[in-house]
Amino acid sequence: MKFLKIHQELVTGEIAEQMCKICPFGAISEKDGKLEIGMACRMCRVCVKNGSPGVITLEEEAQETVQKSLWKGIAVFAEQEAGVIHPVVYELLGKALELAAKSHQSVYVLLIGHRLADAVQELLHYGADKVFCYDSEELAEFRITPYVNAVEDFVKQIRPSVMMIGATVKGRSLAPRAAARFCTGLTADCTVLQIKENTDLVQIRPAFGGNIMAQIITPNSRPQFCTVRYKVFAAPERKEQGAGEAVYLRMKEEQYASSVRIVEKIEKPKEMDIADAEVIVAVGRGVKSQNDLRIIEELAEMLHAQIACTRPLIEAGWFDARKQIGLSGRTVKPKLILTIGISGSVQFVAGMKGADCVIAINEDPNAAIFDVAHYGFVGNLYELLPRFFEEMRGGRRDG
Amino acid sequence: MKILVCIKQVPGTTAVEVDEKTGVLKRDGVESKMNPFDLYAIEQALCLRETYGGSVEVITMGPEQAKMVLQEAVYMGADRGILISDRRFAGADVVATSYTLSQGIQKSGTYDLILCGKQTTDGDTAQVGPETAEFLKIEHVSNVLQVVEVKKDGIIVLENQEMQVRKLCLPLPCLLTIEKDANTPRLPSLKRKMEKTEQKVEVIGLDDFSDQDPKHYGLAGSPTQVERIFPPEKNTDRQVFEGSSTELAERFTQILKQKKYI
């Protein structure tokens, strides 16, 4: 256990003032010539590194250490709904295989639900050594208590070193409860994962709205829980031949009970607010006629994208006003926006410049949109898109 | 109905930068504000009090200046604020924070319902709510769009999942995290500001808890450790492709595949 020690004998008025200033969190204060570290301290250790030498030092107190060799394996929680595996699971598996190869560990999958025989078989095509399954009627619907109980039972029996969970709505409920049950570390929304020889997981995640990256480890607790969002890692190719072993587990009868009752399930309409969309296909005046929107729709369907547009197309009556991006329309912040036949007026760009990735197709090489786009394609959409569809039909792959 | 809302003071802006050489956070001033997500939880709590009666209390963990957000909640209409503050809580990660909160909550009273914002703007983890529920050994539901009804045998809520909304009935006491934009939070009332509501904020620390082992709190009680912080890589690369439509279509396909959209 590490802590900060203040060497008061070295503190002078000048040093005290300097130390108070150096703390980025304003956690150091001076009282009667003595320094104090308050609750705002985030243990960033800037005072140790950049402060007056020796005034504040990092000390370590011996503590009980976890025996890491007893915790082996990288486990992936396989979220499913009615037996359909959430695609983030395959992505987690891809990363798990990579981490396992580096640290000489096995890859496990934990599946919880009801009537999962097909899901188990499917998962065995993705390279895991073992798929563990709790299959029971009480687990058919996601209810937090029995699901956490199953994770607990699995962890106690299998003792994995790492537990990876998708940062979905369910994952964000399950991961923290399970981590708290073991009083172990949980790092949310990791964007980079690496592993050390000693099986310590190096977790990198954005903080402060992505303005800062933090590298986090869980040096003395197991398992190491982390969540990862959908579409961060790459899914491995599905293997023709399934391999690995399916293991069905049962927990104690009382562990299956839940006091939560599902009254009703309401499917969400597909039509959603473009401001919430992760992928947007935006169209502008480069699209010549309303009939041509069919190819745009085809593209949007392929990318699971929402369609949005510029102001002129609203004025032309092609779209509902809620679909407009720009100063007088909606502001969007999707992961990907594809702009098609949009020149990129200041007003339009103001509504979409927060997008993580901008891909633009436009005929005019001088269009302002190319200053904003990460990937610009100077070309005619009526030629490029049909070619793209051909390409997709030719070399189609699942997913 | 006794309701408790967990809130947090966060930096006024997320526009912070890291000095690449020193690893120091550069902030524009030290302005802070109430975590915007918490406003929806407070509003939900106040609406429930209007319908079912009872009280709304707010709790936060942080340094002395975190009293400000409790005060703001009191101006919005909360009956009482509790600040959990102790220098031994410094450096707490998600687990230690949740454990501290659960101890503070148990010390402060017995509640029928505990509400949290969906997440904070500084950590963005959305994990403290569920972990706190685990330590309190009560049920929880995350991403609640609306509390539909409170009945004798439980509370009915709408849970916002990706593809569906589930209407759930769960027993009290329980913990809910309230979805962003679930309602329109009211503004702090000027009238309440004018009244002397200062005394409505109370401070508790480790010595008030049932578990007083300092090893369970702050940095010592935190299983995770931040090894370093650094600025994100900025993607300033801009690529513009020209060529035949076949070439462009190939490149287009390649990029979309690389980004895992097809």
Side-chain angles (χ1 to χ4, degrees):
Chain A
M1 161 195 163
K2 288 182 178 159
F3 62 96
L4 296 174
K5 189 173 175 186
I6 306 170
H7 300 266
Q8 303 287 3
E9 67 280 5
L10 299 176
V11 178
T12 64
E14 200 183 322
I15 286 177
E17 197 182 322
Q18 184 233 349
M19 297 303 273
C20 294
K21 263 193 209 155
I22 209 166
C23 176
F25 301 100
I28 302 178
S29 58
E30 188 216 334
K31 204 177 171 187
D32 307 325
K34 283 190 168 180
L35 282 182
E36 272 182 15
I37 300 175
M39 214 194 137
C41 173
R42 302 273 180 98
M43 284 302 288
C44 69
R45 293 164 236 178
V46 164
C47 53
V48 179
K49 278 187 261 177
N50 300 354
S52 197
V55 175
I56 297 178
T57 54
L58 186 68
E59 307 287 327
E60 196 157 359
E61 189 183 292
Q63 63 176 354
E64 236 180 276
T65 51
V66 66
Q67 233 184 312
K68 291 175 187 172
S69 58
L70 295 178
W71 296 86
K72 279 284 195 189
I74 316 258
V76 170
F77 169 70
E79 175 176 337
Q80 55 81 32
E81 176 78 39
V84 181
I85 305 289
H86 192 291
V88 71
V89 174
Y90 298 115
E91 300 173 1
L92 294 179
L93 259 169
K95 181 53 78 176
L97 290 165
E98 190 189 311
L99 296 173
K102 272 191 194 138
S103 55
H104 315 289
Q105 300 190 73
S106 302
V107 171
Y108 303 136
V109 174
L110 168 61
L111 189 57
I112 304 172
H114 186 42
R115 297 203 173 115
L116 296 174
D118 291 347
V120 169
Q121 286 314 314
E122 182 57 24
L123 282 163
L124 287 170
H125 286 269
Y126 288 86
D129 296 285
K130 285 182 182 179
V131 175
F132 294 94
C133 182
Y134 291 85
D135 191 323
S136 177
E137 202 184 338
E138 295 96 322
L139 301 171
E141 296 287 345
F142 177 79
R143 281 185 290 187
I144 192 68
T145 302
Y147 267 65
V148 181
N149 289 344
V151 175
E152 182 189 10
D153 190 74
F154 167 77
V155 168
K156 281 184 171 160
Q157 290 197 47
I158 310 303
R159 301 176 74 85
S161 170
V162 173
M163 188 82 220
M164 297 169 73
I165 298 179
T168 58
V169 172
K170 289 173 191 159
R172 280 171 190 283
S173 243
L174 184 64
R177 278 208 88 122
R181 192 158 291 184
F182 288 96
C183 271
T184 185
L186 162 62
T187 307
D189 298 328
C190 299
T191 52
V192 177
L193 290 173
Q194 289 153 357
I195 201 149
K196 296 185 185 174
E197 267 300 305
N198 69 355
T199 70
D200 275 0
L201 189 66
V202 178
Q203 306 154 112
I204 296 178
R205 74 177 302 265
F208 288 102
N211 287 305
I212 282 178
M213 305 300 288
Q215 180 171 322
I216 296 164
I217 52 166
T218 311
N220 198 32
S221 302
R222 291 293 185 268
Q224 307 165 83
F225 279 84
C226 66
T227 67
V228 179
R229 287 190 192 191
Y230 180 33
K231 285 194 175 136
V232 170
F233 295 140
E237 288 285 330
R238 184 184 191 275
K239 291 184 185 139
E240 243 352 276
Q241 209 66 48
E245 190 189 337
V247 183
Y248 284 83
L249 300 173
R250 284 289 297 174
M251 49 186 177
K252 283 191 192 131
E253 242 10 83
E254 64 269 22
Q255 306 283 83
Y256 289 90
S258 169
S259 50
V260 176
R261 190 161 54 84
I262 292 147
V263 182
E264 196 185 348
K265 293 203 284 182
I266 310 142
E267 292 301 317
K268 280 192 192 171
K270 279 202 175 146
E271 188 82 2
M272 65 186 266
D273 190 342
I274 56 169
D276 294 331
E278 287 207 350
V279 185
I280 292 175
V281 174
V283 288
R285 268 185 299 187
V287 178
K288 300 283 176 252
S289 86
Q290 200 166 358
N291 272 338
D292 300 343
L293 289 177
R294 259 181 300 182
I295 52 171
I296 304 298
E297 280 158 15
E298 189 179 343
L299 177 67
E301 204 161 299
M302 204 175 260
L303 299 173
H304 304 288
Q306 296 283 312
I307 299 180
C309 65
T310 57
R311 184 162 176 166
L313 299 198
I314 301 289
E315 284 164 358
W318 293 7
F319 288 97
D320 185 284
R322 283 172 301 185
K323 299 294 176 194
Q324 186 200 332
I325 294 175
L327 273 186
S328 53
R330 293 298 179 101
T331 301
V332 296
K333 196 181 177 304
K335 289 213 172 95
L336 171 70
I337 183 165
L338 251 160
T339 73
I340 297 172
I342 292 177
S343 60
S345 69
V346 177
Q347 288 83 352
F348 173 77
V349 169
M352 50 67 78
K353 63 181 176 209
D356 291 346
C357 179
V358 180
I359 302 180
I361 301 175
N362 200 301
E363 224 170 353
D364 175 8
N366 298 318
I369 194 73
F370 290 126
D371 298 334
V372 186
H374 299 92
Y375 304 99
F377 291 86
V378 182
N380 184 318
L381 72 101
Y382 292 100
E383 288 171 20
L384 202 164
L385 288 181
R387 293 267 175 201
F388 164 69
F389 293 134
E390 271 171 39
E391 185 105 347
M392 289 305 292
R393 277 189 280 269
R396 188 132 145 223
R397 81 164 209 199
D398 287 325
Chain B
M1 184 144 118
K2 263 190 98 178
I3 307 170
L4 179 70
V5 188
C6 305
I7 62 178
K8 189 184 181 190
Q9 189 180 42
V10 296
T13 166
T14 55
V16 289
E17 274 179 60
V18 191
D19 186 315
E20 255 170 279
K21 279 187 194 132
T22 59
V24 178
L25 274 184
K26 291 188 285 187
R27 296 200 197 193
D28 290 336
V30 281
E31 256 179 76
S32 14
K33 62 174 181 189
M34 169 142 28
N35 172 38
F37 290 91
D38 298 343
L39 296 168
Y40 306 104
I42 295 174
E43 179 63 31
Q44 176 67 73
L46 295 172
C47 289
L48 287 171
R49 187 183 62 187
E50 279 158 19
T51 314
Y52 300 99
S55 62
V56 172
E57 298 178 17
V58 284
I59 194 165
T60 194
M61 169 179 159
E64 188 70 20
Q65 65 260 35
K67 263 187 185 171
M68 269 170 50
V69 294
L70 295 171
Q71 206 61 252
E72 189 183 335
V74 168
Y75 297 149
M76 281 175 76
D79 299 289
R80 180 171 85 119
I82 304 135
L83 172 66
I84 307 174
S85 194
D86 197 307
R87 62 179 184 78
R88 289 168 288 188
F89 299 155
D93 72 353
V94 172
V95 169
T97 301
S98 309
Y99 187 66
T100 311
L101 264 177
S102 73
Q103 282 285 320
I105 291 169
Q106 282 165 315
K107 160 71 194 163
S108 306
T110 316
Y111 300 96
D112 301 304
L113 184 63
I114 298 169
L115 301 181
C116 301
K118 179 189 170 189
Q119 65 193 64
T120 60
T121 51
D122 55 351
D124 288 324
T125 71
Q127 320 260 258
V128 169
E131 288 212 3
T132 304
E134 175 66 25
F135 287 122
L136 291 170
K137 298 188 172 65
I138 56 175
E139 293 279 355
H140 87 271
V141 178
S142 294
N143 301 53
V144 169
L145 286 170
Q146 192 197 331
V147 175
V148 182
E149 200 184 350
V150 182
K151 298 202 290 193
K152 266 216 177 105
D153 62 334
I155 184 167
I156 296 175
V157 302
L158 295 180
E159 174 202 50
N160 192 22
Q161 296 247 2
E162 285 94 347
M163 308 300 284
Q164 58 185 21
V165 172
R166 297 200 303 178
K167 191 189 253 187
L168 304 173
C169 178
L170 63 162
L172 297 173
C174 66
L175 183 146
L176 310 173
T177 79
I178 305 296
E179 187 67 83
K180 178 175 181 272
D181 296 331
N183 50 46
T184 310
R186 67 196 66 187
L187 293 169
S189 132
L190 204 60
K191 188 164 153 266
R192 285 181 70 90
K193 257 189 197 177
M194 307 291 278
E195 290 165 9
K196 281 188 181 144
T197 46
E198 290 278 331
Q199 71 277 18
K200 289 190 174 167
V201 173
E202 169 187 325
V203 185
I204 57 174
L206 184 56
D207 299 332
D208 302 302
F209 288 1
S210 61
D211 175 4
Q212 299 190 1
D213 185 345
K215 284 204 177 74
H216 296 159
Y217 301 92
L219 188 73
S222 299
T224 62
Q225 214 176 73
V226 178
E227 279 195 312
R228 64 182 180 117
I229 52 173
F230 56 99
E233 280 170 38
K234 280 201 182 105
N235 182 14
T236 48
D237 292 356
R238 305 212 181 281
Q239 289 174 284
V240 177
F241 306 106
E242 291 181 69
S244 75
S245 35
T246 314
E247 283 162 10
L248 290 179
E250 263 174 35
R251 188 55 71 93
F252 185 71
T253 314
Q254 193 191 342
I255 289 169
L256 287 176
K257 273 193 178 156
Q258 204 183 3
K259 302 244 165 222
K260 301 191 270 294
Y261 286 104
I262 48 175

